[in-house]
Every structure is written in structure tokens, then in C-alpha cells.
Amino acid sequence: MSIIQQYAIYYPYIAFGVICLLLLIQLYYIIFVYGKLSLHKVRSYQEQDQFDPISVIICAHNEQKNLQQFLTYILEQDYPQFEVIVVNDYSTDETKWVLKDFQEKYENLKIVDIKEHIRLKHGKKFAVTLGIKSAIYEKLVFTDADCSPNSNNWLKETAGALSQPNKEIVIGYSPYFKYKGFLNKLIRFETTHTAMSYLSYALKKDAYMAVGRNMGYTKKLFFSKKGFASHMHIKSGDDDLFVNENATKKNVALSIHPDAIVYSEPKTTWKTYYKQKARHSGASVIYKKRHQRMLGTQLITSFLFYCALILTAIIFPHYWYIPLAAYLIRLITQILVFRSIYRKLAVFDLIWWLPLLDIIYYFYICINGLFNRKKKSISWK
């Protein structure tokens, strides 16, 4: 009798032990990490007596249609004193003339033009830096050309959070518009899951990222930390890498009131979505090591949990109830914790898709990350 045959009786117990270990790790993240956001009481900042003047910065490359559709919502915010800086990053469409038309109507719009330079191949960080240098106010708020605030009180919420004592960074939330189709559901689910993670860790005083569609920080912080100098070689990361490098336990505020939400246009094809996720994967390789470990552990154990359930059910069909029980425990815990979060993040319709989208999400993200994690030469558009 071979050693493999001799110890075959123990194989089911080993498989069940692996499932239990992975389940416990998953329950830790669901209850003790995401639970922070689930129990968090959302605060509004728009009732303050005074608001500091702010500069809103938008970088645009061939964004003619999006600017025509969304820029008005930024320029007409209900805020006492603000400027909107649009950095036209060598657009080859009609962006320049669209901005000229807007500038005739709105005195608070400032345009910064970047010309093409054959020997200088810059990315979004260069455009953001020029926008910051052009800003006349200390408090900076960032969004994108394809974004639309959920309310004309967006700036009050975002700038109000940034004006709290000792706060230098404000982290907002930016979901995608809801459209028909499964890809849209997956994109919105992935965005929600990402937001759940970075918002929860921010509540745990360990912020590791934000999204450039809805965030802010002070000009003093940017220049005192030398801007993007330490990661200028990474094409992406003007948002998450800056926060990862400069967030502390005390200098971060959240702004996730419904009026503070900024919606964005989602990708509409699998190819463009894949490219977008590849760009994000390229930036995550230089997160702080502890953030890489905690995010990697959550992602890999989720992937392995599903793999273990499937393999155990196939190899040991007589014990089908063990993987089923583990799956149901995790799913029920997710629903209990996530339903409050999904309401806060305005995606409660996705709760019914959780069983399907969750497993697809982890397999897709792991495969995407495996092929793109080391890529660096990716354009910002």
C-alpha cells in the first residue's frame, strides 16, 4: 500500500479544514472590516456656517461630448466661492472650442491647455500637477470630465469634510451610472466592492486609496510631499497612490452622504473594461506592503474559498453538505452586512445578484491581476 493510499482516509478532513480556515478569514473581513462601513452613520457637512473657497480640477483628453453633457453640473454647484480648472491635455477633438463656449458663460471657469511635445510623453499626473499649480485656492477637489454630481450640494459636502480640523484628504464615493446589461452590473458590483474596502479601511484609520472621480486634498499637502515624484514612473495612480503614500490615521475625512456621490460613465465593452482594470492593477504594485498584504489576503482567500468548495464537492461528493454549509454561512453573513452598505452606496439592486456576481468578480479580478500586475506602460485614457 502506497503512502498516498495509506493516508487517503484523512483527505476529506484536510479539505474540510482548508475550507474552515478560508471561511474564518472571509468572515473576519466581512464582519470586522466591512462591518465598519455597515454600522457607520453617514454625516452631512452642507449645513456649516462657512465654507472655504476651493478649486475644482478636471483633466480632459478628447472629452468634447462629456464636457458638453456634464460640465454644467460642476460649474453651477451651490457653493459660495469656487473656481473650476479644466486641463485640456492635448485634445484633438472639439474640446478646446467647447471650453471656450463655457468660459464665455461662466466666469469661474479657468482653462489650462497642454500642447503636444514630441519628446515629452506625459500622463495624467502631469496634467493634474499643472491644474494644481494653476489653482488659486488652498483646498482642492478632483473629478473627471465624464462625471456628474448627484446634487448641487456636492461641493458643500466634499469641501465641508475637507475643512474639518486636521483633515488634509477627503475620500468620496463615485459609482457608475446604471444601464442595462450584465457587464454594467459587474462593473457596478466591482466598483461597489472596491469602495466598500477603501471606505471601511479609512474608517479603521488606515486609508489606502481614493478615486480621482471624487476626492480632494490640500495644496500644502501636495507640495510638501513633492506631489507624484515618488511614483511618476507609474502611468496611473494620481489618486490611489497619492492617498496611499500620504494618508495618516488623523488626516483623512470621508464624504459619502447621498448629495456627495458623483456618478460616472461606465465602460461599455469587455475590452475597455479589461484595459481599465489592467491600469488599476499596475498601480497597486507599489502600495505600502501592509496594504498589499491585506488586500492580497482578502482577494486570494476569496478565490481559494470558491476553488476549495468546488473541488471538495467534486472529489468528495458524499460530503456535499460541508461545502454547501460553508458557502451559505458566508453568503448569509455577506447579505446581513452588505445590505446596509448597499443602501449607503446606492446600489441596493445588486444585492439580489450577489451570489452570481461575487464568484465571477473574484475569478475575473484574479485572472486580470495575474496578467497585468507588472504592466507599467499603460495610458491614462
Side-chain angles (χ1 to χ4, degrees):
M1 180 181 295
S2 66
I3 295 178
I4 295 177
Q5 293 174 322
Q6 183 178 355
Y7 291 98
I9 189 175
Y10 298 109
Y11 293 164
Y13 300 104
I14 295 174
F16 303 153
V18 170
I19 289 176
C20 288
L21 176 61
L22 293 172
L23 176 61
L24 288 174
I25 295 173
Q26 288 297 291
L27 292 179
Y28 165 78
Y29 280 98
I30 295 169
I31 297 172
F32 296 103
V33 177
Y34 301 142
K36 285 281 188 181
L37 181 58
S38 180
L39 298 175
H40 175 65
K41 293 184 178 180
V42 177
R43 177 182 176 183
S44 176
Y45 296 96
Q46 61 184 272
E47 300 301 327
Q48 294 180 182
D49 295 330
Q50 290 184 321
F51 292 92
D52 297 328
I54 60 170
S55 298
V56 181
I57 298 174
I58 301 171
C59 296
H61 174 69
N62 291 338
E63 297 282 7
Q64 170 191 347
K65 293 182 179 179
N66 285 324
L67 290 169
Q68 289 174 326
Q69 184 175 358
F70 300 119
L71 185 57
T72 300
Y73 300 120
I74 308 295
L75 291 165
E76 295 184 356
Q77 283 288 298
D78 182 13
Y79 197 84
Q81 188 176 358
F82 71 104
E83 65 172 351
V84 177
I85 301 170
V86 178
V87 182
N88 181 17
D89 189 9
Y90 184 62
S91 296
T92 55
D93 61 0
E94 298 299 311
T95 292
K96 177 180 179 179
W97 305 112
V98 170
L99 290 174
K100 291 291 184 182
D101 289 341
F102 271 107
Q103 198 170 43
E104 292 179 0
K105 301 176 184 177
Y106 298 95
E107 295 181 355
N108 60 335
L109 175 61
K110 180 186 295 185
I111 303 170
V112 177
D113 284 308
I114 299 178
K115 307 296 183 182
E116 183 187 33
H117 194 296
I118 296 176
R119 298 179 62 186
L120 176 62
K121 298 299 180 182
H122 58 265
K124 186 179 180 182
K125 290 174 184 174
F126 180 76
V128 172
T129 302
L130 287 187
I132 293 173
K133 288 183 177 180
S134 300
I136 61 176
Y137 300 127
E138 168 64 17
K139 304 291 176 65
L140 311 172
V141 173
F142 300 85
T143 189
D144 288 342
D146 61 350
C147 292
S148 176
N150 196 39
S151 163
N152 64 352
N153 288 316
W154 164 59
L155 284 184
K156 285 185 176 179
E157 292 291 348
T158 306
L162 188 58
S163 68
Q164 299 305 299
N166 303 315
K167 302 305 180 185
E168 299 175 295
I169 298 172
V170 58
I171 297 176
Y173 167 58
S174 181
Y176 287 104
F177 288 114
K178 179 182 177 180
Y179 296 132
K180 294 181 179 180
F182 184 76
L183 177 60
N184 181 261
K185 288 182 175 62
L186 179 60
I187 290 174
R188 292 171 60 231
F189 180 85
E190 181 271 328
T191 303
T192 300
H193 196 283
T194 301
M196 284 170 48
S197 182
Y198 70 72
L199 293 172
S200 295
Y201 276 103
L203 290 171
K204 286 170 64 67
K205 308 299 182 183
D206 193 16
Y208 68 87
M209 70 162 283
V211 290
R213 303 188 302 275
N214 192 8
M215 65 178 291
Y217 46 79
T218 65
K219 189 189 293 188
K220 179 181 178 181
L221 177 68
F222 181 82
F223 287 114
S224 67
K225 300 299 182 179
K226 298 181 180 180
F228 307 125
S230 65
H231 48 84
M232 188 62 79
H233 60 290
I234 303 291
K235 292 283 187 178
S236 61
D238 58 285
D239 44 14
D240 58 342
L241 292 181
F242 183 83
V243 172
N244 192 266
E245 186 176 65
N246 298 301
T248 68
K249 292 183 177 180
K250 297 181 179 180
N251 74 343
V252 175
L254 294 189
S255 180
I256 57 173
H257 185 275
D259 285 349
I261 293 175
V262 172
Y263 283 92
S264 183
E265 286 290 335
K267 301 302 180 183
T268 56
T269 67
W270 288 95
K271 182 179 180 180
T272 54
Y273 177 53
Y274 179 87
K275 182 179 178 181
Q276 181 187 52
K277 298 314 301 174
R279 186 171 69 249
H280 295 168
S281 297
S284 65
V285 297
I286 59 172
Y287 280 8
K288 292 176 181 176
K289 294 301 182 182
R290 73 172 186 275
H291 294 145
Q292 291 189 47
R293 286 194 297 269
M294 73 186 190
L295 295 173
T297 299
Q298 197 279 330
L299 179 63
I300 293 171
T301 55
S302 297
F303 176 78
L304 293 178
F305 177 76
Y306 280 121
C307 291
L309 294 185
I310 295 169
L311 291 175
T312 301
I314 294 174
I315 298 173
F316 307 109
H318 295 300
Y319 298 99
W320 59 268
Y321 52 88
I322 300 294
L324 178 61
Y327 172 77
L328 290 176
I329 290 172
R330 180 177 181 272
L331 178 61
I332 292 171
T333 306
Q334 282 181 307
I335 293 173
L336 292 174
V337 175
F338 289 4
R339 61 182 182 179
S340 173
I341 297 175
Y342 278 31
R343 286 194 179 96
K344 288 184 177 75
L345 302 185
V347 290
F348 192 73
D349 62 294
L350 293 180
I351 200 74
W352 311 109
W353 289 85
L354 180 61
L356 176 62
L357 290 174
D358 195 64
I359 188 170
I360 293 175
Y361 164 77
Y362 283 111
F363 277 88
Y364 183 83
I365 294 300
C366 283
I367 293 172
N368 187 291
L370 179 66
F371 285 103
N372 295 294
R373 187 170 173 78
K374 297 300 181 181
K375 286 186 178 180
K376 296 180 180 179
S377 298
I378 303 171
S379 63
W380 73 269
K381 283 293 292 178

